[in-house]
Amino acid sequence: MSSIAVIYYSASGNTAAMAEAVVEGVESMGAEAEIFEVSEFLIDDLENYDAFAFGCPASGDEELEEFEFEPFFSNAIEIIGDRPVAIFGSYSSGDGAWMRKWEDVCDDMNLNLVASGVIAEDYPDSDAIEACQELGEILVENLNEFY
């Protein structure tokens, strides 16, 4: 059975709630998911997973969180290769530019991004939770096609 790692950074709990919803979507499709805060995940453990969902809120001037998440993700790009990837996160101000930048990075690095990133303003409402669940389902569908 395939295994999916959901790895996220959350300062306020907003992106953590989104990560939980992604896991729900993965599990609703009969796949296995493990959820990790980025600070507790070892980069070498990426080899143990078939697909990934990464979550990070907008930080500063609509950027990825720069101390833990961004360095981890930059290193992860070199390891995950063409395995399926999904991204998500929350924001409190701005218009979601950080997600568009993140999607561009994924495209530039030829990551197998399975869908557009899911965003939520502040704490995810029911629509954002549903979108995260759907993102988990899409990740599994793409994983099944990949293998």
Side-chain angles (χ1 to χ4, degrees):
M1 177 169 286
S2 300
S3 184
I4 297 171
V6 178
I7 306 164
Y8 71 93
Y9 174 87
S10 186
S12 64
N14 299 347
T15 302
M18 296 175 79
E20 292 287 344
V22 171
V23 169
E24 290 171 8
V26 168
E27 292 176 345
S28 76
M29 298 290 287
E32 293 181 12
E34 292 183 68
I35 189 168
F36 304 93
E37 290 185 34
V38 70
S39 61
E40 65 187 29
F41 193 89
L42 300 175
I43 196 84
D44 292 339
D45 289 340
L46 290 167
E47 295 294 342
N48 300 326
Y49 296 91
D50 301 308
F52 307 93
F54 294 102
C56 185
S59 182
D61 188 25
E62 290 214 63
E63 302 289 334
L64 293 175
E65 190 278 328
E66 65 181 322
F67 297 108
E68 288 184 66
F69 189 85
E70 195 285 325
F72 174 86
F73 187 75
S74 291
N75 288 322
I77 288 171
E78 303 298 320
I79 298 170
I80 60 179
D82 59 354
R83 288 176 276 180
V85 172
I87 58 176
F88 61 92
S90 62
Y91 67 101
S92 292
S93 62
D95 67 354
W98 104 101
M99 184 59 70
R100 293 187 296 276
K101 291 177 199 173
W102 193 7
E103 289 172 339
D104 288 344
V105 167
C106 291
D107 288 342
D108 291 346
M109 299 306 295
N110 295 314
L111 292 182
N112 184 5
L113 197 60
V114 300
S116 297
V118 173
I119 63 174
E121 186 173 3
D122 298 317
Y123 194 83
D125 62 13
S126 60
D127 289 341
I129 292 294
E130 185 176 319
C132 288
Q133 291 167 336
E134 290 173 4
L135 188 64
E137 293 169 4
I138 292 167
L139 189 56
V140 173
E141 289 169 356
N142 278 269
L143 180 59
N144 291 338
E145 292 173 13
F146 184 75
Y147 287 100

